[in-house]
C-alpha cells in the first residue's frame, strides 16, 4: 500500500473546491485495486445468492487493510482524522462496485450520529471496523422526518419495532431513537448483550446487495447517548450527512453504468458495425455523460459542504440527493437497455446496479421530498392552480 489515509490525514487544503486532491486520488486507486481484486462486478450475482448480510472478508480488508471505516473520526478517538470528502471518495468506489458492505450504514449514518452526539466510548470500535453499527430507522427516512415514536424507553429498556432498517442484520450496535418520560432520546443497544430482547427479521428488499430487516425490541437493555432536543438535532444531522453522501455512492453507480455501457457498445456489433457507432446510441450516451458530470459536481459540492460546515448544508444535501437520485436511475436504465438481451439476464450484474439505483433513489428521502425541502429552504412558494 503506497498511501494510507491514516498517515496522510490533514494534508488536504481546507478550500479544496470540487477537484480531487492527490490524497483522494491515491485513496481511489487503492480502493479500486482492492475492489477489482476482491469484488469484481461479474461475481456480484453469485455473491448475493449466498444470503449473507454482507461480505465479511471485503469489510475486513476495507476497515483493517485500508483503514477507511473511520475516516471522519478524529485520531484521538481512534479514527483517521480525515474528513467527509475522503469518505465520499470511498462511497464513489463502493457504489461503482455495488459492494455488499455496511459502509453507508455504519461508517456514515451511525458514525455521523455518534460524532454529533460527542460520543467517545463507542466511536473507537466503530472507526476501526471492529464493531458494525446501524441507525435503527426505516431506510427511507428523510432528514426532515419528525422524531420517531415507534420505540418507547421505560425502566432502562427499549420496547417497540422499527421496520426496513438497512444494515441491521450485521450490526453489533444499534442506535435507536426512542421516546420516554425524558422526551426523545437516542440509545445504544449492544445486540450481543441484548440477546433475545432484540430480534431481527430479514425483509424482501429490492437491493440484494444492501439487505433490510425489521428490528423488534422487547425491554432491550440500552444506554442513553443524548436526550431531549439534542437527540432530535443528532438524528437530523446524521440523516442530512447520510443524504449528502449517498449522492456520492449514487455517482459511483452511475459512473459504472456509463463506462460499462460505453465499453459494451464498442464491442457489440450489429449490421457489421459496432452498436456504438449508430447516431442514436452515441447521442444517448453523450447526454448521459453530461448528466453524470453534473451529478459529480453536485455530489462533490455536498461533500465539501459537510467538511466546511457551511450554514447551507441542508440545502446542499437536498440538492445533491434530489438531482443525483434521478441521474443514477437514468444511467442504470440506459445501461440495461443498451446491453440488449444480455442485460436482462440474472448472470449479468447490470440488474443489480439498476436495483441499487432504484432503492437508493428511495433511501433517505425521495427526490420529490428533497425538492420540496429545497423549495422551503429558498422560500420558493408552490405554483397555484
Amino acid at each position: 500500500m503506497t498511501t494510507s489515509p491514516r498517515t496522510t490525514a490533514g494534508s488536504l487544503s481546507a478550500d479544496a473546491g470540487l477537484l480531487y486532491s492527490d490524497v483522494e486520488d491515491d485513496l481511489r486507486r487503492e480502493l479500486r485495486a482492492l475492489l477489482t481484486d476482491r469484488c469484481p462486478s461479474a461475481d456480484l450475482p453469485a455473491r448475493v445468492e449466498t444470503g449473507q448480510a454482507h461480505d465479511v472478508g471485503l469489510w475486513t480488508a476495507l476497515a483493517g487493510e485500508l483503514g477507511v471505516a473511520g475516516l471522519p473520526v478524529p485520531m484521538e478517538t481512534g479514527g483517521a482524522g480525515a474528513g467527509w470528502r475522503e469518505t465520499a471518495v470511498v462511497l464513489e468506489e463502493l457504489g461503482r462496485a455495488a459492494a455488499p458492505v455496511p459502509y453507508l450504514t455504519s461508517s456514515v449514518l451511525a458514525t455521523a450520529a455518534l460524532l454529533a452526539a460527542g460520543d467517545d466510548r463507542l466511536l473507537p470500535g466503530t472507526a476501526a471496523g471492529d464493531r458494525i453499527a446501524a441507525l435503527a430507522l426505516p431506510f427511507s427516512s428523510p432528514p426532515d422526518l419528525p422524531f420517531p415514536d415507534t420505540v418507547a424507553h421505560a425502566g432502562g429498556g427499549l420496547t417497540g419495532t422499527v421496520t426496513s432498517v438497512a444494515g441491521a442484520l450485521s450490526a453489533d450496535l444499534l442506535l435507536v431513537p426512542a421516546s420516554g418520560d425524558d422526551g426523545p432520546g437516542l440509545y445504544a443497544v449492544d445486540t450481543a448483550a441484548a440477546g433475545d430482547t432484540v430480534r431481527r427479521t430479514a425483509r424482501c428488499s429490492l437491493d440484494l446487495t444492501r439487505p433490510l430487516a425489521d428490528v423488534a425490541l422487547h425491554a432491550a437493555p440500552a444506554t442513553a447517548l443524548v436526550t431531549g432536543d439534542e437527540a432530535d438535532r443528532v438524528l437530523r444531522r446524521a440523516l442530512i450527512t447520510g443524504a449528502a453522501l449517498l449522492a456520492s455512492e449514487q455517482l459511483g453507480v452511475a459512473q459504472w453504468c456509463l463506462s460499462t455501457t460505453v465499453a459494451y457498445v464498442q464491442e457489440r456489433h450489429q449490421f457489421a458495425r459496432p452498436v456504438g457507432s449508430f447516431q442514436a446510441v452515441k447521442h444517448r450516451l453523450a447526454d448521459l455523460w453530461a448528466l453524470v458530470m453534473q451529478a459529480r459536481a453536485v455530489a462533490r459540492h455536498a461533500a465539501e459542504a459537510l467538511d466546511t460546515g457551511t450554514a447551507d448544508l441542508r440545502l446542499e444535501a437536498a440538492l445533491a440527493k434530489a438531482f443525483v437520485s434521478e441521474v443514477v436511475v437514468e444511467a442504470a436504465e440506459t445501461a440495461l437497455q443498451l446491453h440488449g438481451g444480455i442485460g436482462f439476464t440474472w448472470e449479468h450484474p447490470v440488474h443489480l446496479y439498476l436495483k441499487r439505483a432504484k432503492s437508493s433513489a428511495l433511501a433517505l428521502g425521495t427526490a420529490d421530498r428533497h425538492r420540496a425541502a429545497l423549495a422551503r429552504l429558498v422560500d420558493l412558494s408552490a405554483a397555484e392552480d
Side-chain angles (χ1 to χ4, degrees):
M1 186 169 67
T2 58
T3 306
S4 168
R6 294 185 182 277
T7 59
T8 57
S11 62
L12 180 63
S13 167
D15 186 22
L18 302 183
L19 299 179
Y20 296 100
S21 69
D22 292 340
V23 172
E24 291 167 340
D25 286 337
D26 289 342
L27 176 59
R28 183 189 303 280
R29 279 192 291 270
E30 294 196 28
L31 278 165
R32 189 168 297 184
L34 174 68
L35 292 168
T36 300
D37 179 50
R38 303 201 186 191
C39 189
S41 59
D43 292 350
L44 276 175
R47 283 172 181 264
V48 298
E49 288 182 345
T50 65
Q52 294 181 342
H54 74 274
D55 188 322
V56 178
L58 180 58
W59 175 254
T60 301
L62 288 167
E65 295 178 20
L66 293 186
V68 298
L71 283 176
V73 179
M75 289 184 176
E76 57 269 23
T77 320
W84 293 115
R85 284 175 56 105
E86 292 88 347
T87 305
V89 171
V90 176
L91 284 166
E92 283 183 41
E93 291 305 307
L94 293 179
R96 188 184 183 96
V101 292
Y103 193 82
L104 177 71
T105 51
S106 183
S107 299
V108 177
L109 281 167
T111 295
L114 292 173
L115 285 169
D119 174 84
D120 58 3
R121 299 164 297 173
L122 302 174
L123 270 172
T126 304
D130 299 331
R131 177 188 290 119
I132 296 174
L135 188 60
L137 282 176
F139 196 39
S140 59
S141 302
D144 55 359
L145 175 80
F147 199 88
D149 59 0
T150 60
V151 177
H153 178 260
L158 299 178
T159 299
T161 301
V162 188
T163 60
S164 303
V165 180
L169 289 174
S170 57
D172 309 302
L173 175 71
L174 292 173
L175 305 182
V176 185
S179 57
D181 294 338
D182 297 329
L186 184 64
Y187 298 86
V189 176
D190 184 326
T191 57
D196 292 339
T197 63
V198 176
R199 296 183 181 179
R200 291 169 281 190
T201 305
R203 294 288 300 267
C204 181
S205 55
L206 174 63
D207 183 2
L208 300 178
T209 65
R210 180 177 283 144
L212 306 177
D214 293 343
V215 178
L217 304 109
H218 305 277
T223 302
L225 298 176
V226 286
T227 58
D229 292 341
E230 188 68 1
D232 185 69
R233 182 194 68 81
V234 167
L235 186 61
R236 202 167 301 278
R237 176 70 184 200
L239 291 173
I240 291 173
T241 301
L245 290 179
L246 180 53
S248 290
E249 184 193 272
Q250 292 173 309
L251 171 63
V253 173
Q255 185 62 61
W256 181 91
C257 292
L258 173 62
S259 59
T260 301
T261 305
V262 169
Y264 179 77
V265 298
Q266 290 175 322
E267 298 172 356
R268 170 67 173 160
H269 282 65
Q270 190 69 36
F271 304 112
R273 56 187 288 192
V275 172
S277 66
F278 292 101
Q279 191 175 52
V281 174
K282 288 193 288 187
H283 284 183
R284 187 167 184 184
L285 288 173
D287 289 343
L288 181 58
W289 179 88
L291 282 174
V292 171
M293 293 305 103
Q294 292 168 1
R296 184 180 302 280
V298 173
R300 292 292 294 166
H301 195 57
E304 175 74 2
L306 275 171
D307 260 356
T308 58
T310 175
D312 291 333
L313 174 58
R314 177 68 184 96
L315 185 149
E316 306 295 353
L319 178 62
K321 184 61 171 63
F323 184 77
V324 186
S325 287
E326 296 189 339
V327 172
V328 70
V329 172
E330 174 69 19
E333 289 178 345
T334 298
L336 187 73
Q337 292 164 11
L338 293 187
H339 271 79
I342 194 174
F344 287 83
T345 64
W346 178 264
E347 290 76 13
H348 198 283
V350 70
H351 71 93
L352 293 174
Y353 283 84
L354 176 61
K355 292 168 183 174
R356 171 67 72 92
K358 291 281 191 179
S359 65
S360 66
L362 300 174
L364 303 177
T366 63
D368 285 345
R369 185 74 176 254
H370 283 283
R371 275 195 291 266
L374 189 60
R376 291 193 301 270
L377 290 167
V378 299
D379 196 24
L380 181 64
S381 301
E384 295 183 0
D385 295 333

